[in-house]
Amino acid sequence: MALGFDCADDFSSSFLHVPDDIKTQTINKALSLLDNDMNNFEKLGIVSDNMLLFCAGFLLEASKRFQIVLAGGTQMAACLLIADKLKEDVLMRVKHDNITLATTQWVAQDKNSDIAHILEQLSYAPHAVYTTFSFANTQIPILKKYDEGEAKEGVGAGASLAYAVQSNIQNQELLEQIEYLIYSM
């Protein structure tokens, strides 16, 4: 929002019941610290997570030579927005055909966010994928929380699941391996 994007209600939360009031108050307080004379870097230095700035800079340079997979949901979509906006400030281009955003159905279909709307604001059509993996048949109750909307992504779940799909690993087989790993801990 500090960079002029229309994304106030687009970001997901790992909570089932999103604390919208707290989120709105935090955003408004952060945005109140900005003024129109600030450049994009100054604005981001006040309101952004430093990881997003690093990731955006990484994308600008690394995408020129390498295939990049952003493993995550709306946070990685925000990284794409920042890189897209900063490209003019640093006179660089994102080689967007080298970038894939890989996320989960839990993010893509989250009723409390809109990752598609975030991505529509880019100056290009991004390559984004999401998997349809489900924990519906798990024997581990805490994993069912994903399908119930309590968790949506985490530690590269989208990219990990996309890799499994690309490797032709079926939902049940992957589910059994995940459960095996958890039970063997």
Side-chain angles (χ1 to χ4, degrees), residues 7-14 18 20 23 73-75 103-118 152:
C7 55
D9 298 319
D10 293 345
F11 290 90
S12 67
S13 168
S14 62
V18 179
D20 286 322
K23 183 167 68 169
T74 55
Q75 184 181 39
T103 193
T104 63
Q105 70 175 342
W106 305 303
V107 170
Q109 299 172 357
D110 182 7
K111 67 181 190 287
N112 294 308
S113 67
D114 193 348
I115 193 170
H117 184 250
I118 297 170
K152 295 163 188 86

Side-chain angles (χ1 to χ4, degrees), residues 57-68 90-99:
F58 177 82
L59 281 176
L60 287 166
E61 183 60 36
S63 67
K64 290 192 263 182
R65 296 178 300 199
F66 304 105
Q67 294 288 324
I68 308 294
V90 295
L91 301 175
M92 295 178 78
R93 294 290 178 260
V94 175
K95 190 168 183 208
H96 52 83
D97 54 331
N98 277 350
I99 300 171

Side-chain angles (χ1 to χ4, degrees), residues 37-98:
D37 294 330
M38 293 178 171
N39 67 39
N40 289 330
F41 285 101
E42 290 170 322
K43 291 175 183 177
L44 290 169
I46 292 172
V47 301
S48 178
D49 180 336
N50 289 333
M51 180 282 302
L52 290 174
L53 288 169
F54 171 83
C55 188
F58 177 82
L59 281 176
L60 287 166
E61 183 60 36
S63 67
K64 290 192 263 182
R65 296 178 300 199
F66 304 105
Q67 294 288 324
I68 308 294
V69 176
L70 294 175
T74 55
Q75 184 181 39
M76 290 297 101
C79 178
L80 289 173
L81 287 179
I82 291 170
D84 200 33
K85 186 71 163 188
L86 293 181
K87 68 185 182 192
E88 298 302 325
D89 295 327
V90 295
L91 301 175
M92 295 178 78
R93 294 290 178 260
V94 175
K95 190 168 183 208
H96 52 83
D97 54 331
N98 277 350

Side-chain angles (χ1 to χ4, degrees), residues 1 8-9 11-13 15 17-31:
M1 291 171 58
D9 298 319
F11 290 90
S12 67
S13 168
F15 298 110
H17 304 289
V18 179
D20 286 322
D21 290 342
I22 295 170
K23 183 167 68 169
T24 300
Q25 289 173 15
T26 303
I27 290 169
N28 290 339
K29 187 171 184 176
L31 292 175

